[in-house]
Amino acid sequence: MNSVSESFKTKPITHLKHIVPLDFKAACNNLPDSHTWNHHDDAQPPADPLTQQETVPVIDIAIPQAMTLIREACEKWGAFQVTNHGIPIELLDQIELQTKRLFALPSEQKLKVLRSPEDFTGYGLPRISNFFSKLMWSEGFTIMGSPIDHARQLWPNDHIDFCNAMGEYQNELRGLTERLLRLMFGSLGLQQQNIGWFNSEIESKSPQAVLQLNSYPVCPEPNQAMGMAPHTDTSLLTLVYQGSVSGLQVFKENVGWLPVEPIPGAFMVTVGDLMHIFCNGRFKPALHRALVNKTSHRISTAYFYGPPKDVEISPPSELIDRDHPVLYRPVTFKEYLDAKGTHFDKALEFIRHMN
Ligand SMILES: O=C(O)CCC(=O)C(=O)O
Ligand SMILES: [Fe+2]
């Protein structure tokens, strides 16, 4: 078992009655109280559309300036959309189809692979549900490695296409994530051969990656619902594919929530907490959320890439000097997941050095 799953064994979702997603098909002409959010209480308001023209940068990864643009985007936004990345659109279409096929299954069928409080993979609520008193208008399916055991339960005679598509997708996503990481490290003047955990070929030192499929059913009252509540990702880097239905938003300091409009075939890249720790605060983690709508079922996939399980993440010497003292104490992925599981949006503060 790996550290991500171990960590969730020790920090299970506590309110058991909330581990089963709503049967969205059988529901709902009205939003149940359990899913009604008071948006007027939001600490962060949406950006004023009349005065704000800012958008998350869109970067063609194949142009010579990509490295500089990525650095700027990671410093200012902690996020950007990446295009021209080489992952075939046919594969993305196939992933969208297989994801819709999974969530279209009857509720009883999906519950056969329900993610129990001790588990990390399978069907269930967004993991962050634990930290909010209201429930989100979404359901998810989490994959680590091969999904074959769960896929067999979902489709006893017809799971091969799903498994093949998800396997190929994970390989492509890993390749793209590592290409982006090389550009990011290069943009900070880091020699990647000096980053031991990034180069290791040893199995026990391979990166920890999780593929999350998200489904946001059509919602009767989208203005009072929340698809995925505001959060930063725990990963080093996350790649989100959101198909063609909008809903993803990023929070920009002094501006507010800004939509990330879907671009065909593009991935949204977000800096996670562990990257922020590793680069000693140079890149910031992106606070993001997903809204729902009344007319279109939205699906997304999020690929979370983290360091090998037992590696302590701390900034390389190139990023430490008198003006940039070390901000956080060294942490392994598992230690940080534990901190996040307890302190959620205060986890970074919890590991911060008191300089
Ligand atoms: O659905 C989306 O666009 C975002 C999903 C997300 O942020 C997540 O799964 O962590
Ligand atoms: Fe996220």
Side-chain angles (χ1 to χ4, degrees):
M1 197 197 314
N2 59 52
S3 66
V4 177
S5 0
E6 275 163 22
S7 187
F8 281 103
K9 269 200 181 337
T10 55
K11 292 260 171 338
I13 288 178
T14 45
H15 40 301
L16 279 184
K17 65 180 194 297
H18 286 162
I19 68 167
V20 179
L22 192 65
D23 182 356
F24 293 100
K25 262 197 209 148
C28 278
N29 295 322
N30 296 311
L31 201 62
D33 181 56
S34 53
H35 289 70
T36 304
W37 293 59
N38 288 321
H39 285 298
H40 57 259
D41 293 342
D42 278 1
Q44 298 106 351
D48 179 348
L50 293 177
T51 55
Q52 291 304 335
Q53 301 299 325
E54 289 195 79
T55 51
V56 172
V58 179
I59 302 177
D60 176 337
I61 195 178
I63 62 171
Q65 307 89 312
M67 195 187 270
T68 313
L69 295 174
I70 286 175
R71 178 175 178 156
E72 276 171 25
C74 292
E75 285 171 350
K76 284 200 193 125
W77 292 81
F80 57 94
Q81 296 210 67
V82 64
T83 60
N84 206 9
H85 46 65
I87 298 187
I89 194 78
E90 296 76 25
L91 177 60
L92 297 175
D93 291 345
Q94 179 63 7
I95 291 300
E96 205 166 330
L97 189 135
Q98 293 296 337
T99 301
K100 286 190 172 150
R101 185 175 157 234
L102 187 157
F103 289 112
L105 287 169
S107 200
E108 319 84 79
Q109 194 66 6
K110 291 183 279 191
L111 291 179
K112 288 186 181 160
V113 297
L114 182 67
R115 193 178 61 213
S116 70
E118 302 82 40
D119 284 337
F120 188 70
T121 57
Y123 172 70
L125 296 171
R127 181 59 67 178
I128 58 172
S129 301
N130 222 11
F131 300 99
F132 298 89
S133 57
K134 295 293 182 166
L135 293 170
M136 294 169 222
W137 197 259
S138 60
E139 50 188 336
F141 183 78
T142 314
I143 300 172
M144 285 185 82
S146 166
I148 190 149
D149 291 343
H150 283 155
R152 233 191 236 125
Q153 285 172 275
L154 291 170
W155 302 283
N157 304 311
D158 196 8
H159 54 274
I160 300 296
D161 287 351
F162 179 88
C163 294
N164 287 346
M166 294 302 156
E168 192 183 339
Y169 193 41
Q170 284 168 295
N171 286 339
E172 292 279 357
L173 288 166
R174 178 169 171 179
L176 176 56
T177 307
E178 292 180 348
R179 187 172 164 200
L180 287 162
L181 284 172
R182 282 194 290 274
L183 287 166
M184 286 180 189
F185 295 151
S187 81
L188 291 168
L190 304 178
Q191 305 293 326
Q192 69 177 60
Q193 61 273 24
N194 295 342
I195 307 171
W197 52 264
F198 188 56
N199 294 301
S200 180
E201 296 296 319
I202 309 164
E203 177 61 24
S204 69
K205 295 244 183 262
S206 53
Q208 305 263 299
V210 176
L211 176 60
Q212 172 75 25
L213 311 179
N214 297 311
S215 162
Y216 305 91
V218 166
C219 179
E221 290 178 69
N223 294 337
Q224 297 196 65
M226 178 61 79
M228 181 83 68
H231 65 282
T232 60
D233 294 334
T234 305
S235 57
L236 283 164
L237 211 59
T238 306
L239 299 192
V240 172
Y241 180 65
Q242 56 168 343
S244 56
V245 182
S246 54
L248 179 58
Q249 298 194 326
V250 166
F251 185 74
K252 181 115 196 286
E253 214 59 56
N254 304 320
V255 177
W257 287 106
L258 290 163
V260 181
E261 291 305 342
I263 297 174
F267 284 91
M268 162 83 164
V269 182
T270 50
V271 170
D273 295 351
L274 284 170
M275 174 63 93
H276 174 72
I277 296 165
F278 174 73
C279 63
N280 207 17
R282 301 290 203 288
F283 296 163
K284 57 179 200 171
L287 184 65
H288 56 282
R289 68 180 183 181
L291 303 184
V292 291
N293 74 79
K294 222 175 180 147
T295 49
S296 307
H297 177 203
R298 176 170 187 271
I299 59 127
S300 72
T301 72
Y303 179 75
F304 305 100
Y305 181 102
K309 58 180 178 182
D310 47 7
V311 170
E312 283 204 324
I313 293 298
S314 57
S317 55
E318 295 96 312
L319 300 181
I320 305 166
D321 57 38
R322 202 163 356 154
D323 296 333
H324 301 95
V326 181
L327 293 177
Y328 303 100
R329 69 173 166 82
V331 278
T332 62
F333 196 176
K334 173 163 177 10
E335 280 166 349
Y336 188 68
L337 268 171
D338 285 346
K340 191 97 176 201
T342 308
H343 303 284
F344 190 51
D345 57 347
K346 308 284 183 301
L348 282 172
E349 277 167 49
F350 179 72
I351 60 156
R352 196 173 173 113
H353 279 306
M354 296 300 155
N355 290 307

